[in-house]
């Protein structure tokens, strides 16, 4: 699969071929443009349609739960930006396919194909049951706030194993809320601008050694629940802040709902979202 | 299912009905006897034959990946000793059914049925990639040494979520090597006598509050890689030691194989065991 | 008391009624102006004369040691900015009335009246016996440098109890030296500009959940003895610095007085101030 | 006061004169006997009658809130075992006299009289709002479970100040439940035998340097909520255990009352005891 | 030696006489200019020629291993900036003279002469065997990456002893790479601009109390392997960054040489440099 | 040198040849007997006469500062028990030869000869400036109490380097006071019985992997200043206690000499011993 015309032509960029999963999603779209500067060939994949395919791109629709397809997908790949899988609370039978079996397939294939690094979209929901009155660093105990969060913990454990066992490096990005702009007051804290998101991926890809790293993906917002000090070796210095959006969600008096878990924990609404019933 | 003759008769013991999974296994057999003193009814289950069934026992063969069967299994249960699932390295497609889907089914059913506590057989292989020249406490970072170990990390995360979200308590027992006697020099360190194992389960069941607890299941062996100080609220005081077996594996000069990961890491041979190819 | 004309008129601001104690003091005066923007009604109190009373203000002279008066004072109050009490070393018999009995009265009344949050002016003198060659974070052990400092430790313990027991939230502001400008070299380190002080109170009032929080009140001075990382959830980002005043107290060679405790400890002159004899 | 016949006669024991406060109380009575071996003269005091006075004893009824009386009481004293004050939840106006003003009087007088060490009966209720599913060491954050507990935190802060400021040493004994035998299941965890209590005081008195030390006063019970590792310099090695009393309070199934704070926190019933209304 | 014309004339600057060792070296030259503003007299020394000597300078060629010469050198000195000794990997027999015997001579003489503070050029090579995927703070365990690094650990221990024993203060500067500009990609992380170096020395000299302090000497570079939070009491706020030089060493794809220790550890090439054979 | 008759004959013991330095000293004599059980050949060395030489022994008088002699000494050696060098405060010019140059020679030769492990007699004087009111674990910051202690810190750094760089393992034994019996009250705390000392060396030699380990060498004394929890992987469980000697140094009242550093710090008299003047 990899001895394509693209392979023969491309010669100049830092990476020869990068794989972007979840390329049709919100963050995948942000990432797709940036990757052209970093790799001769960008292989993009999703389970959803991928739109127009640029000259330097190889596009394929792949279900990550399909082992053979994933192994083919990883062929000839230097590094992976893995944004694929389910990124919200969902029935466990769906999560198990996308975020557990799919992720195993990805790591198993990457290891067999000699891929050296995966940038893994973990989530702040891996630690969402920490209270909003605390600040978590990258070593904080796991406190998933949803079945989705549990699968992100799984991804962090699985990738740790592949690093300890095979030397396959991973940067786990515990991404907060990366949208055009914050959608509510909580996202003023968890906001990650698109620009900072791309920079975070850039740092994760280009730092010469990352081992198995965990880093919070948040902009330089005024209020912070996270502390990236121990991940300073990645060189991620966010440029943006949610301060410009604070007027959209003016702080009132505290809401006095002292029993509302969505206000008490960093995960916000996720802490009540699951487990969901499967659709039958 | 629960309004059985057993239900109507039994009245005197601390628990009305306990569920023991993996009852046909090595540790399951050790446990099965002890449980009769603690519960009026002991429901025992496995995927393997369960042998003779005592008067106070309810026996059923259940595959934990069978959601409906697991929900039936949890009916009327006060607490669970979960020793079921796969306890060695195995192909991931097997582990996913037994240790991931099966565990989810167990917790999902337990929560729906109002079960208040699960004693979960985790494993020292959740932290097996810590070096043998370190001592890990119950807060040490996860370092699974195998895909099996990764599924044990999953179990610890999942059970944490069920505690934070629903108040369903779990004690995660990171069991070392619980056999009649140690089988090699490494097991002198990880040895957990059957007597200490039963006591550990007793402490985990009868301590009035356990929250989400992690504890290492090792006897009071001379060499130790673990530190249970932070789990002292469980009251587990091992009575046995592997010292009586040290003569079986006399220490020689260090083996000089400084590149042998099975000697460098607490997980021993597990660190090289996986991932295994599925049997096809 | 609370069904006043003010109550009936005011309708628009985030808080209906805020209570400011110590309103006639140095920091009270700074605060009083700012509060008008945040509350329909600002109840101001002190044992000293309160000067002109604005339309939105309710003023009363209250001795905090007067239990009944304090209970009346808290009626209808949403939140308290408690700057009252003694803020320098004093005879213990005075401190006990103002800072111990008075504080208990305040918390007892606040709890009974359903007040949800108190902003408590603690002090860096609660930790003033830490050496100037260390940096203390918000979890540093208490090391009061004076009887005054001991009463501030008392306040932090009392407020912790009211939070754990009743859910009454407190932010303990360990205020450094908040004056127009630093008065000596030590205050270059402990300086908190008035603007930053007001912002710190704003953050403490408007952050939706604060639990029982401790935060150091210092500006972004060049030299720092404190570390607010774990209080980042409050969103306090000081804008000012004492750098503009460094020329007033130029650093000379170290003073060579290696036995002078006022130079060795963060509390400075406080460490030798007390205990004072009562005036008789 | 101190040039008594007792002074002139006594010459041989490690201490010349020890002061025991609270000598008429439960623990005071235990202590009183032991002290005769350690000091030529034992000055005993309480607000309650002190019973028969031995030849080596000086007895006086003193209210600790009486400043002048306390100063007289400390004259000629080498060291103090301070068991006096209120040791249960009480109205704050009572606590303030006995445990705050009284303690200040004691320290103020001790410092003026040149006393070098005070053994201070603090309490596990200074940290009683830590959950029963945690283990606290001697540096754990203060979490008082009652107004009584708050006054014990005050005592620890006040004594820290007297040590940092004047070099007056204190050992804060966070005494659990020291009775003839445990009175309920919780006291199986917090039990301190009388023999271990006396040994703890002995260690605290005779260790050559103690600085400002904190140590938990519990016997070597099976279940433990505390960790004295950092106080090992005191040499306290409890000899007794509550194991012999476990049959009195047999563990049943967990009580399922998951909202009962008296079961969730180390302080047990204290967490709901206060604040009490003053008797009027 | 010290009653020179210089002594009699100079009267106005913060320090009377500062000693600069290693004055002929790369950093010595940077420092020499700055010192004229801080001291009436600057004594400069090296084993290499010192070039032109300014009016306020006293120059002497001294081998630090020469005990008598060093004692003379320290006479009349207020504080020392010690940049002398060997600053690269070298045969141990050379290091022992320059960095061990020489340093002992310096401290022994300084203590005898009543010098109050030494600014000691330690090195990041004292911790160079920490991986590049970690961030070390000033309390991180020593991990020297070379015999040179071992001698820097020696210096930190020796100076700690002189502080604990005699009160002679030291700031250990763990200097990264202080050159005109970074010479390779690694130095983008360890870069310390000359301006920031001078400021770091200024802070170390003029902070009134430093005790025995350790601080990393790096500019505010994008990627960081160090954390100076606990040294914030020194007031060092770097103004420069290596960001302006990043284009010189553009990050490519990770180099894939996963066994290359020079890429794995913070010490870079130093980790393979030694031990060197002596020149014979 | 190693193809001796001894080499040809010996065949059965765990080690072929062990080297014991300092064999003529107090602890060397204790060790010498035990080694015959562990090695076919025991090479013993000292600068002092070695007494009778057993059949299995090779004896040689070697000055560790003699590089060539040390290289010859290490030939054919499997592991080293290094008790040689100076073990009390001494002039630095003596310490530099014995404990710095000598130790470098030992490590340099061991690395070249392929020796895999050194048991290094470090000392509690490497941390002797920690107060007696603290408990140090094996990661506590270095606080040497003497120039002798500084050289022990050097040894720990040097051996760390040889492990990180070459994989040469070391166990640093921070030996307390190993004599027939304690000689004063302080040694009741630091006492290491001869039997426990030999057991500590046995554990250090026979544990299969030790990496670079630090462990305190003290018996199970009642009072303890040290915490070996993190070294539990060595399996050292002391059997003896100084309790049997407590009657020799009965605790009196505290000595009241609050300014006496020999009573304040763990190093005891060492903290005032040095630096000594060289003998000239």
């Amino acid at each position: 699969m990899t001895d394509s015309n693209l392979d023969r032509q491309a010669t100049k960029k830092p990476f020869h071929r990068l794989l972007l999963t979840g390329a049709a999603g919100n963050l995948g779209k942000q990432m797709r443009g940036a990757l052209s500067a970093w790799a001769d060939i960008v292989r993009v994949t999703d389970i959803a349609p991928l739109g127009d395919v640029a000259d330097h791109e190889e596009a394929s629709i792949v279900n990550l739960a399909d082992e053979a397809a994933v192994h083919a997908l990883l062929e000839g790949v230097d590094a992976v930006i893995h944004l694929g899988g389910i990124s919200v609370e969902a029935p466990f039978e769906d999560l198990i396919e996308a975020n557990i079996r799919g992720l195993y397939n990805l790591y198993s294939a990457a290891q067999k194909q000699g891929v050296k690094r995966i940038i893994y979209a973990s989530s702040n929901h891996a630690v969402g049951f920490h209270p909003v009155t605390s600040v978590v660093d990258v070593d904080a105990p796991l406190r998933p706030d949803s079945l989705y969060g549990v699968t992100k913990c799984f991804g962090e454990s699985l990738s740790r194993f592949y690093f300890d066992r095979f030397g396959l490096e991973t940067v786990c990005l515990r991404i907060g809320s990366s949208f055009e702009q914050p959608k509510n007051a909580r996202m003023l804290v968890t906001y990650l601008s698109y620009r900072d998101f791309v920079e975070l991926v850039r740092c994760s890809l280009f730092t010469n050694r990352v081992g198995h790293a965990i880093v919070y993906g948040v902009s330089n917002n005024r209020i912070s629940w996270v502390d990236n000090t121990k991940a300073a070796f990645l060189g991620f210095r966010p440029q943006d802040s949610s301060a410009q959006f604070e007027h959209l969600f003016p702080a009132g008096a505290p809401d006095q709902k002292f029993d509302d878990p969505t206000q008490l924990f960093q995960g916000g609404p996720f802490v009540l979202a699951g487990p969901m019933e499967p659709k039958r």
Side-chain angles (χ1 to χ4, degrees), chain A residues 49-72:
Chain A
L50 287 157
D52 293 342
V53 177
D55 283 353
H56 69 285
E57 290 183 325
E58 296 167 344
S60 58
I61 303 295
V62 171
N63 184 331
L64 294 170
D66 176 345
E67 182 183 346
V70 172
H71 279 254

Side-chain angles (χ1 to χ4, degrees), chain A residues 84-223:
Chain A
I86 297 174
S87 61
V88 292
E89 186 62 329
F92 192 68
E93 64 177 27
D94 296 344
L95 289 165
I96 211 170
E97 295 308 311
N99 289 13
I100 292 185
R101 192 187 308 280
L103 197 74
Y104 170 72
N105 286 340
L106 184 78
Y107 272 84
S108 175
Q111 187 265 324
K112 289 209 176 92
Q113 300 291 346
V115 174
K116 289 296 185 291
R117 187 176 297 175
I118 296 177
I119 315 304
Y120 170 57
S122 183
S123 167
N124 58 348
H125 294 291
V127 292
F129 251 123
H130 283 276
V132 297
T133 50
S134 67
V135 173
V136 290
D137 73 5
V138 301
D139 287 339
L142 294 171
R143 294 283 182 271
D145 59 20
S146 51
L147 292 176
Y148 163 66
V150 171
T151 66
K152 289 299 162 182
C153 296
F154 167 83
E156 296 192 359
S157 295
L158 182 75
S159 54
R160 180 78 218 186
F161 168 66
Y162 271 88
F163 174 66
D164 283 339
R165 177 69 178 83
F166 299 108
L168 169 47
E169 294 188 303
T170 292
V171 182
C172 299
L173 312 181
R174 289 189 182 158
I175 298 170
S177 305
S178 198
F179 299 105
E180 195 70 54
Q181 63 177 59
K183 299 177 179 177
N184 54 44
R186 179 180 161 274
M187 289 193 190
L188 291 172
V189 185
T190 56
Y191 175 66
L192 175 68
S193 76
Y194 287 149
R195 182 168 66 157
D196 283 341
F197 167 66
V198 171
E199 170 66 4
L200 178 56
V201 173
R202 193 189 69 77
C203 292
S204 301
L205 265 182
F206 284 93
T207 300
N208 196 40
R209 287 288 177 283
V210 298
H212 182 266
I214 295 173
V215 60
Y216 291 100
V218 290
S219 287
N220 184 22
N221 309 319
R222 190 174 57 83
I223 291 182

